[in-house]
PDB file of all heavy atoms in Angstrom:
ATOM      1  N   CYS A 689     -82.278   7.351 -61.982  1.00 90.00           N
ATOM      2  CA  CYS A 689     -83.343   6.729 -61.160  1.00 90.00           C
ATOM      3  C   CYS A 689     -84.633   7.517 -61.266  1.00 90.00           C
ATOM      4  O   CYS A 689     -84.621   8.705 -61.203  1.00 90.00           O
ATOM      5  CB  CYS A 689     -82.888   6.651 -59.709  1.00 90.00           C
ATOM      6  SG  CYS A 689     -83.890   5.616 -58.715  1.00 90.00           S
ATOM      7  N   VAL A 690     -85.714   6.844 -61.516  1.00 91.00           N
ATOM      8  CA  VAL A 690     -87.030   7.475 -61.618  1.00 91.00           C
ATOM      9  C   VAL A 690     -88.011   6.969 -60.541  1.00 91.00           C
ATOM     10  O   VAL A 690     -88.078   5.708 -60.358  1.00 91.00           O
ATOM     11  CB  VAL A 690     -87.707   7.240 -63.024  1.00 91.00           C
ATOM     12  CG1 VAL A 690     -89.094   7.845 -63.060  1.00 91.00           C
ATOM     13  CG2 VAL A 690     -86.855   7.783 -64.130  1.00 91.00           C
ATOM     14  N   PHE A 691     -88.603   7.909 -59.799  1.00 88.00           N
ATOM     15  CA  PHE A 691     -89.597   7.508 -58.823  1.00 88.00           C
ATOM     16  C   PHE A 691     -90.993   7.908 -59.356  1.00 88.00           C
ATOM     17  O   PHE A 691     -91.202   9.135 -59.550  1.00 88.00           O
ATOM     18  CB  PHE A 691     -89.341   8.222 -57.491  1.00 88.00           C
ATOM     19  CG  PHE A 691     -88.112   7.718 -56.807  1.00 88.00           C
ATOM     20  CD1 PHE A 691     -86.918   8.410 -57.066  1.00 88.00           C
ATOM     21  CD2 PHE A 691     -88.092   6.712 -55.905  1.00 88.00           C
ATOM     22  CE1 PHE A 691     -85.710   7.977 -56.435  1.00 88.00           C
ATOM     23  CE2 PHE A 691     -86.948   6.315 -55.247  1.00 88.00           C
ATOM     24  CZ  PHE A 691     -85.766   7.026 -55.522  1.00 88.00           C
ATOM     25  N   GLU A 692     -91.863   7.015 -59.645  1.00 87.00           N
ATOM     26  CA  GLU A 692     -93.188   7.287 -60.144  1.00 87.00           C
ATOM     27  C   GLU A 692     -94.131   7.281 -58.987  1.00 87.00           C
ATOM     28  O   GLU A 692     -94.397   6.291 -58.349  1.00 87.00           O
ATOM     29  CB  GLU A 692     -93.540   6.229 -61.132  1.00 87.00           C
ATOM     30  CG  GLU A 692     -94.931   6.474 -61.776  1.00 87.00           C
ATOM     31  CD  GLU A 692     -95.090   7.815 -62.420  1.00 87.00           C
ATOM     32  OE1 GLU A 692     -94.544   8.029 -63.471  1.00 87.00           O
ATOM     33  OE2 GLU A 692     -95.783   8.664 -61.805  1.00 87.00           O
ATOM     34  N   LEU A 693     -94.611   8.485 -58.616  1.00 82.00           N
ATOM     35  CA  LEU A 693     -95.404   8.658 -57.373  1.00 82.00           C
ATOM     36  C   LEU A 693     -96.925   8.784 -57.567  1.00 82.00           C
ATOM     37  O   LEU A 693     -97.599   8.990 -56.569  1.00 82.00           O
ATOM     38  CB  LEU A 693     -94.879   9.879 -56.622  1.00 82.00           C
ATOM     39  CG  LEU A 693     -93.390   9.853 -56.304  1.00 82.00           C
ATOM     40  CD1 LEU A 693     -93.012  11.143 -55.590  1.00 82.00           C
ATOM     41  CD2 LEU A 693     -93.032   8.615 -55.438  1.00 82.00           C
ATOM     42  N   ASP A 694     -97.379   8.800 -58.793  1.00 81.00           N
ATOM     43  CA  ASP A 694     -98.786   8.971 -59.010  1.00 81.00           C
ATOM     44  C   ASP A 694     -99.747   8.149 -58.215  1.00 81.00           C
ATOM     45  O   ASP A 694    -100.764   8.571 -57.672  1.00 81.00           O
ATOM     46  CB  ASP A 694     -99.108   8.771 -60.522  1.00 81.00           C
ATOM     47  CG  ASP A 694     -98.866  10.052 -61.388  1.00 81.00           C
ATOM     48  OD1 ASP A 694     -98.483  11.052 -60.730  1.00 81.00           O
ATOM     49  OD2 ASP A 694     -99.050   9.993 -62.577  1.00 81.00           O
ATOM     50  N   GLU A 695     -99.458   6.807 -58.123  1.00 86.00           N
ATOM     51  CA  GLU A 695    -100.293   5.925 -57.485  1.00 86.00           C
ATOM     52  C   GLU A 695    -100.324   6.058 -55.927  1.00 86.00           C
ATOM     53  O   GLU A 695    -101.165   5.492 -55.181  1.00 86.00           O
ATOM     54  CB  GLU A 695    -100.063   4.510 -57.875  1.00 86.00           C
ATOM     55  CG  GLU A 695    -100.455   4.213 -59.362  1.00 86.00           C
ATOM     56  CD  GLU A 695    -100.185   2.761 -59.707  1.00 86.00           C
ATOM     57  OE1 GLU A 695    -100.182   1.926 -58.838  1.00 86.00           O
ATOM     58  OE2 GLU A 695    -100.083   2.509 -60.954  1.00 86.00           O
ATOM     59  N   ILE A 696     -99.244   6.685 -55.395  1.00 85.00           N
ATOM     60  CA  ILE A 696     -99.123   6.718 -53.908  1.00 85.00           C
ATOM     61  C   ILE A 696     -99.142   8.147 -53.352  1.00 85.00           C
ATOM     62  O   ILE A 696     -99.095   8.293 -52.163  1.00 85.00           O
ATOM     63  CB  ILE A 696     -97.847   5.999 -53.421  1.00 85.00           C
ATOM     64  CG1 ILE A 696     -96.573   6.711 -54.003  1.00 85.00           C
ATOM     65  CG2 ILE A 696     -97.814   4.535 -53.769  1.00 85.00           C
ATOM     66  CD1 ILE A 696     -95.312   6.405 -53.259  1.00 85.00           C
ATOM     67  N   LYS A 697     -99.260   9.138 -54.265  1.00 79.00           N
ATOM     68  CA  LYS A 697     -99.113  10.516 -53.794  1.00 79.00           C
ATOM     69  C   LYS A 697    -100.135  10.939 -52.702  1.00 79.00           C
ATOM     70  O   LYS A 697     -99.794  11.871 -51.965  1.00 79.00           O
ATOM     71  CB  LYS A 697     -99.098  11.505 -54.932  1.00 79.00           C
ATOM     72  CG  LYS A 697    -100.513  11.714 -55.704  1.00 79.00           C
ATOM     73  CD  LYS A 697    -100.325  12.677 -56.820  1.00 79.00           C
ATOM     74  CE  LYS A 697    -101.615  12.976 -57.455  1.00 79.00           C
ATOM     75  NZ  LYS A 697    -102.309  11.876 -58.153  1.00 79.00           N
ATOM     76  N   ASP A 698    -101.227  10.251 -52.659  1.00 81.00           N
ATOM     77  CA  ASP A 698    -102.211  10.593 -51.627  1.00 81.00           C
ATOM     78  C   ASP A 698    -102.351   9.502 -50.491  1.00 81.00           C
ATOM     79  O   ASP A 698    -103.215   9.627 -49.658  1.00 81.00           O
ATOM     80  CB  ASP A 698    -103.614  10.737 -52.280  1.00 81.00           C
ATOM     81  CG  ASP A 698    -103.695  11.852 -53.320  1.00 81.00           C
ATOM     82  OD1 ASP A 698    -103.107  12.944 -52.997  1.00 81.00           O
ATOM     83  OD2 ASP A 698    -104.210  11.636 -54.395  1.00 81.00           O
ATOM     84  N   HIS A 699    -101.419   8.572 -50.536  1.00 85.00           N
ATOM     85  CA  HIS A 699    -101.414   7.516 -49.524  1.00 85.00           C
ATOM     86  C   HIS A 699    -100.816   8.080 -48.222  1.00 85.00           C
ATOM     87  O   HIS A 699     -99.655   8.470 -48.226  1.00 85.00           O
ATOM     88  CB  HIS A 699    -100.656   6.292 -50.036  1.00 85.00           C
ATOM     89  CG  HIS A 699    -100.890   5.054 -49.280  1.00 85.00           C
ATOM     90  ND1 HIS A 699    -100.568   4.817 -47.965  1.00 85.00           N
ATOM     91  CD2 HIS A 699    -101.691   3.928 -49.638  1.00 85.00           C
ATOM     92  CE1 HIS A 699    -101.010   3.696 -47.522  1.00 85.00           C
ATOM     93  NE2 HIS A 699    -101.630   3.107 -48.511  1.00 85.00           N
ATOM     94  N   PRO A 700    -101.554   8.009 -47.087  1.00 82.00           N
ATOM     95  CA  PRO A 700    -101.067   8.585 -45.885  1.00 82.00           C
ATOM     96  C   PRO A 700     -99.885   7.842 -45.254  1.00 82.00           C
ATOM     97  O   PRO A 700     -99.113   8.479 -44.441  1.00 82.00           O
ATOM     98  CB  PRO A 700    -102.295   8.535 -44.904  1.00 82.00           C
ATOM     99  CG  PRO A 700    -103.071   7.431 -45.482  1.00 82.00           C
ATOM    100  CD  PRO A 700    -102.891   7.398 -46.955  1.00 82.00           C
TER     101      PRO A 700
END
Side-chain angles (χ1 to χ4, degrees):
C689 194
V690 176
F691 294 89
E692 180 56 71
L693 303 178
D694 274 357
E695 291 183 23
I696 63 162
K697 67 180 186 296
D698 298 316
H699 197 290

